[in-house]
Amino acid sequence: MTIRGRLIALSVAGAAALGVIATGPATAAESAPGAEQIEVFGHRGASGYRPEHTLASYELAARMGADFIEPDLVPTKDGVLVARHEPEIGGTTDVAEHPEFASRKTTKVIDGTEMTGWFTEDFTLAELKTLRAKERIPEIRQHNTVYDGLYEVPTFQEVLDLRARLSKELGRDIGVAPETKHPSYFRQIGLPVEPGLVETLDGNGLNEKDSKVVVQSFEVGNLKELRDELRVRLVQLISNTGAPQDFIETGDPRTYADMVTPEGLKEIATYADVIGPDTKVILPVDGSNHLTEPTAVVADAHAAGLQVVPYTVRAENTFLPADFQSSADPAQWGDVLAFFHALYAQNVDGIFSDMPDLALTARDQH
């Protein structure tokens, strides 16, 4: 039987059989802290169906049943936190169609990567509000382009206002999972993200231990600092390659791979509550993008007292392991439900997905 077939069979048969293929000890669901139900995070909202990081995307995710909506936070020139995946907004707004902003196109180096375009930190909030969002990957999500030009760039406060309204309307507490984007970069240019994040959570009564809020970062230093200011859950994001930017800048030789060793996970547990690894950290793929054997990361994280919420499951073939692709068409949907089941079989505590409805469908079948 193929790796894919075995994973799907395990997801149906139950986690008790997981030790058959795991490279490390099998993880019983009861060993995961707070793992009564897999939590579904609407990644950038329901970005498989609406342009990402718009109020329409977040609202759709909540109405689909997502437990959390996830805004990435970057600052404006006047220090207001807004929801964009990157500070560069040429790919997610119509800024290029505004001649009054043509002179602001520039090239910057952010976390070692050269980017050319328009950046939120060069615009006041009032200026950003004259722009409209558009689909970031139109070649893959052509259907989302029908919404181009309809939605503003929302502030973090507007996202929280939406969360409060929908929580009341839907009769359930909609969680929010803000990610601090490029914290070292923004600190270096005098626009740190963290003070505004803390102030906004405080001002909305959401900085409490029982608040349905989780704060994420790919860096380490800002999470350690936030541990002293926030009472909500903190998420250490883990890429399948490279190292945290603040490690790179301070000469710390550790990589993300080092951080998911048993020793590294114990260190993370001293300042965070959750790890958010790339799905490849849990279900690796080989050079041909086929699944190999699962790792022991989930088991080791649970042993360290950490929850595990991997990112990001998307339905299109281009984002799926080859085992689950339906054709050579990158935009066509593959067998994404089977991929969800394969991940759920590893006893994860949550999942990030652009299609929260599909994550929930798979959860209901799990």
Side-chain angles (χ1 to χ4, degrees):
M1 185 184 291
T2 65
I3 292 289
R4 176 195 175 195
R6 287 190 290 169
L7 286 168
I8 296 171
L10 284 171
S11 71
V12 174
L18 197 58
V20 174
I21 60 170
T23 57
T27 309
E30 58 268 21
S31 69
E36 293 82 4
Q37 179 173 266
I38 297 167
E39 294 180 309
V40 171
F41 291 71
H43 184 245
R44 309 177 196 173
S47 53
Y49 309 109
R50 298 290 187 276
E52 66 187 33
H53 293 311
T54 59
L55 292 182
S57 182
Y58 299 133
E59 179 165 356
L60 183 58
R63 293 192 181 281
M64 284 179 163
D67 300 293
F68 287 81
I69 54 177
E70 189 236 8
D72 294 336
L73 301 182
V74 295
T76 64
K77 184 177 182 179
D78 43 351
V80 180
L81 294 181
V82 296
R84 289 290 89 187
H85 175 54
E86 292 288 346
E88 200 289 303
I89 54 173
T92 60
T93 74
D94 61 359
V95 64
E97 300 171 22
H98 287 251
E100 68 272 25
F101 299 134
S103 64
R104 304 215 192 157
K105 187 174 185 180
T106 187
T107 298
K108 302 187 180 190
V109 176
I110 299 177
D111 291 358
T113 300
E114 188 175 278
M115 298 182 184
T116 298
W118 293 262
F119 297 82
T120 59
E121 64 266 27
D122 297 328
F123 291 77
T124 65
L125 177 61
E127 290 172 331
L128 273 185
K129 283 296 187 178
T130 68
L131 308 180
R132 292 297 179 266
K134 68 177 185 179
E135 172 55 37
R136 182 177 59 87
I137 45 173
E139 67 281 5
I140 299 298
R141 294 178 174 164
Q142 190 276 333
H143 55 279
N144 277 6
T145 64
V146 301
Y147 302 102
D148 286 357
L150 297 184
Y151 309 124
E152 295 181 356
V153 174
T155 66
F156 184 36
Q157 182 59 56
E158 288 170 337
V159 175
L160 295 184
D161 291 343
L162 175 69
R163 182 213 69 85
R165 176 173 66 80
L166 291 175
S167 293
K168 183 177 181 179
E169 178 184 337
L170 300 175
R172 61 187 182 87
D173 193 13
I174 307 299
V176 62
E179 179 187 339
T180 58
K181 299 295 294 190
H182 306 292
S184 288
Y185 167 75
F186 283 119
R187 183 171 299 183
Q188 289 164 7
I189 65 171
L191 289 170
V193 175
E194 295 79 13
L197 169 64
V198 174
E199 180 181 356
T200 306
L201 291 177
D202 281 338
N204 287 269
L206 291 173
N207 188 10
E208 303 296 338
K209 188 174 182 180
D210 60 351
S211 295
K212 200 168 181 180
V213 176
V214 295
V215 173
Q216 314 170 70
S217 180
F218 276 102
E219 296 190 21
V220 175
N222 72 322
L223 286 180
K224 289 185 175 181
E225 293 176 5
L226 286 169
R227 180 81 288 169
D228 295 330
E229 299 185 70
L230 295 178
R231 292 179 285 277
V232 302
R233 285 187 290 169
L234 300 183
V235 183
Q236 177 65 66
L237 296 171
I238 305 285
S239 176
N240 66 312
T241 60
Q245 183 63 24
D246 53 337
F247 281 12
I248 294 172
E249 293 184 8
T250 60
D252 190 319
R254 288 176 294 170
T255 65
Y256 285 119
D258 296 321
M259 294 174 70
V260 293
T261 63
E263 296 75 19
L265 291 164
K266 290 177 184 176
E267 162 66 15
I268 291 174
T270 65
Y271 63 87
D273 310 281
V274 186
I275 60 167
D278 187 302
T279 59
K280 295 182 181 69
V281 175
I282 297 170
L283 296 178
V285 295
D286 60 20
S288 61
N289 196 32
H290 286 85
L291 292 181
T292 60
E293 298 293 324
T295 69
V297 168
V298 177
D300 292 339
H302 286 164
L306 294 163
Q307 293 182 316
V308 183
V309 182
Y311 70 88
T312 303
V313 179
R314 301 173 168 105
E316 296 93 352
N317 285 325
T318 191
F319 300 118
L320 291 169
D323 311 71
F324 304 97
Q325 293 177 6
S326 60
S327 72
D329 182 350
Q332 185 174 345
W333 285 19
D335 193 357
V336 67
L337 292 181
F339 187 43
F340 277 120
H341 288 309
L343 286 162
Y344 292 170
Q346 304 304 305
N347 292 315
V348 298
D349 304 286
I351 197 78
F352 284 94
S353 179
D354 290 9
M355 288 83 168
D357 56 333
L358 300 182
L360 290 159
T361 296
R363 185 178 78 181
D364 291 344
Q365 297 172 340
H366 181 61

